[in-house]
């Protein structure tokens, strides 16, 4: 058993961990995170300092633009990976393409960036992570848990209850990037899926989820 007396912990902000029930939950600043990722033995979660560059990680209606999709936040149709009704339902509302959400973020040329998102199938099971600079272009199958990589590197990990954490990493050559969440061009009007917990961080791998609610801050 771990206690706070076993080690000194310094962290200026709240952070998240995976608890014994497999749910993502907040941990207060300067409290050690006992993590159960993978369903194995608990372990102290120590990670580098990171910032989530996506200012609205759960409030997808606040993203910069939505093209041919409708966002229903805090849907009661499913629980999010945190165990609450904080997931968003993304529904296609037009035969036009491209069906997407996107943000614009400031980046550093030559640096690696990793984008992660929790996604769950609905009546459509395809989701694409795409950066307009083409450093990341990856399609994900939310039924079979597979990916198709066109640019960058990627992964898809099951986190239970049909949710996956999808990931794409690439090296920016610009000072501004436009990360996009796209639905299938071939899906029908009124097809939908669920998303939660978007994150973009500078680094070549993903850290634990850093929630953001309009501040573009949040440190693990």
């Amino acid at each position: 058993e771990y206690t706070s007396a076993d080690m000194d912990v310094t962290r200026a902000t709240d952070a998240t961990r995976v608890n014994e029930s497999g749910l993502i939950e907040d941990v207060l600043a300067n409290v050690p995170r006992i993590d159960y990722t993978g369903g194995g033995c608990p372990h102290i979660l120590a990670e580098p300092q990171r910032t989530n560059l996506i200012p609205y990680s759960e409030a997808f209606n606040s993203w910069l633009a939505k093209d041919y999709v409708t966002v229903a936040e805090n849907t009661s149709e499913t629980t999010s990976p945190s165990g609450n009704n904080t997931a968003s339902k993304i529904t296609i509302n037009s035969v036009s393409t491209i069906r997407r959400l996107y943000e614009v973020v400031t980046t550093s040329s030559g640096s690696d960036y990793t984008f992660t998102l929790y996604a769950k199938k609905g009546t459509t099971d395809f989701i694409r992570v795409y950066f307009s600079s083409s450093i990341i272009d990856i399609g994900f199958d939310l039924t079979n848990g597979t990916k198709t990589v066109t640019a960058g590197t990627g992964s898809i990990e099951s986190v239970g209850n049909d949710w996956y954490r999808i990931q794409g990493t690439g090296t920016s050559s610009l000072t501004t990037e436009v990360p996009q969440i796209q639905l299938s061009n071939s899906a029908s009007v009124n097809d939908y899926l669920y998303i939660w917990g978007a994150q973009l961080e500078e680094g070549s791998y993903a850290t634990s989820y850093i929630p953001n609610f309009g501040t573009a801050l949040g440190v693990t």
Side-chain angles (χ1 to χ4, degrees), residues 10-218:
T10 301
R11 190 181 65 251
T13 64
D14 293 356
T16 61
R17 65 143 184 175
V18 176
N19 66 20
E20 293 175 87
S21 300
L23 300 176
I24 297 172
E25 67 178 13
D26 291 334
V27 178
L28 297 177
N30 295 325
V31 175
R33 290 182 289 169
I34 311 303
D35 190 83
Y36 291 79
T37 300
C41 295
H43 60 279
I44 291 286
L45 182 58
E47 296 179 305
Q49 178 175 301
R50 294 283 180 86
T51 298
N52 187 354
L53 300 174
I54 300 295
Y56 299 99
S57 62
E58 297 175 28
F60 292 99
N61 265 323
S62 297
W63 279 44
L64 184 65
K66 297 174 287 294
D67 294 334
Y68 311 121
V69 296
T70 301
V71 177
E73 295 177 358
N74 302 317
T75 178
S76 61
E77 295 181 4
T78 186
T79 56
S80 73
S82 66
N84 302 312
N85 294 130
T86 52
S88 290
K89 180 180 180 180
I90 312 300
T91 303
I92 295 169
N93 63 19
S94 173
V95 295
S96 301
T97 58
I98 302 171
R99 293 89 173 255
R100 64 182 178 178
L101 311 173
Y102 66 85
E103 278 282 11
V104 176
V105 297
T106 300
T107 53
S108 298
S109 179
S111 293
D112 292 333
Y113 287 88
T114 297
F115 181 87
T116 50
L117 176 74
Y118 293 88
K120 179 178 179 176
K121 67 180 179 180
T123 55
T124 183
D125 62 1
F126 175 85
I127 193 167
R128 180 189 186 200
V129 173
Y130 176 74
F131 279 46
S132 56
S133 65
S134 298
I135 63 168
I136 298 172
D137 184 355
I138 306 170
F140 297 92
D141 182 327
L142 300 177
T143 295
N144 299 310
T146 56
K147 65 183 185 298
T148 302
V149 178
T150 302
T153 60
S155 65
I156 180 168
E157 175 189 10
S158 173
V159 295
N161 194 29
D162 288 332
W163 283 98
Y164 288 93
R165 193 183 196 195
I166 59 177
Q167 174 180 324
T169 299
T171 303
S172 179
S173 60
L174 305 174
T175 56
T176 300
E177 291 285 354
V178 184
Q180 303 181 27
I181 300 168
Q182 298 183 2
L183 275 63
S184 172
N185 289 343
S186 60
S188 301
V189 173
N190 296 323
D191 276 345
Y192 63 89
L193 50 71
Y194 306 98
I195 58 175
W196 182 82
Q199 183 162 312
L200 178 65
E201 55 193 303
E202 185 175 356
S204 60
Y205 61 90
T207 58
S208 301
Y209 173 52
I210 306 168
N212 261 344
F213 302 99
T215 61
L217 295 174

